[in-house]
Amino acid sequence: MLRISPRFDRPRPASGRNTLARIYDAAETGWQDSISKLGFVEAYSDLMGQCPNTSVPHPKVMDVGTGTGAFASAWINAHGAPAALTLTDISPAMLASATSRLPGARAIHAGLGTAMPDVPPQNVVLCAHVIEHLDDPIAALSWLFDRLTPGGHLVMAISKPHWCTAFVRWRWGNAAYPPQKVPSMLARAGFCDIGAYPFAKGPPSRVSHGYIARRP
Ligand SMILES: C[S@@+](CC[C@H](N)C(=O)[O-])C[C@H]1O[C@@H](n2cnc3c(N)ncnc32)[C@H](O)[C@@H]1O
């Protein structure tokens, strides 16, 4: 059985009027500056450099839980503009911020795990620091798997247990998963060619970890 650190393996639910979407709406101002100062923009850029170029001439890319679009921007900086970019988030303010940074992208105000009938299968799915908010991480990874074409890649960052993560969890309520466990979680969701990529320095190296996996 897959065992995960008991302190971090469940998201703490947002309550009452203070839903997760409202919390992220309120955090949008200053979010991009904060993640940049903390080193996440640089860390995301390093991770995207590890992602194989898609062999598809006109790739479709979707960033799930895009926030201010930092993860999608890092992919574009490393691989060039995709033929179609779709950004999704449950927070309208975050989604508006991402689409203002990435004009031409299609914005979908919807959560991971919900039906997205008009979205075609994607060649690349991006997802940074979102799985941690879902009650069932394997179901969430399976949902991401189902969004991909055969051969398509998932690029992901997930919080890992660390005393710094305890502070992040107190503020945001997210779970955290040990890097030794995440590859088996990805395998359970159907992924292959799973790679785990530590971030090199600073806060990202302490609280997060990168992963790249392929749909067979
Ligand atoms: C920690 S932020 C990460 C944002 C961005 N991916 C980044 O790395 O900078 C989490 C984002 O996921 C969004 N989010 C949370 N739960 C979600 C869900 N179930 N589906 C889609 N987005 C979600 C939040 O609104 C927020 O914008």
Side-chain angles (χ1 to χ4, degrees), residues 20 24 31 35 44 65-67 89-91 94 111-112 128-130:
L20 194 57
Y24 276 110
W31 181 270
I35 61 170
Y44 289 171
T66 190
D89 206 291
I90 56 168
S91 154
M94 286 290 197
L112 190 164
H129 303 123
V130 184

Side-chain angles (χ1 to χ4, degrees), residues 19-29 31 67 89-94 129-130 133 168 172-174:
T19 64
L20 194 57
R22 280 173 189 258
I23 292 170
Y24 276 110
D25 272 345
E28 183 276 321
T29 306
W31 181 270
D89 206 291
I90 56 168
S91 154
M94 286 290 197
H129 303 123
V130 184
H133 286 300
V168 180
W172 300 103
N174 56 288

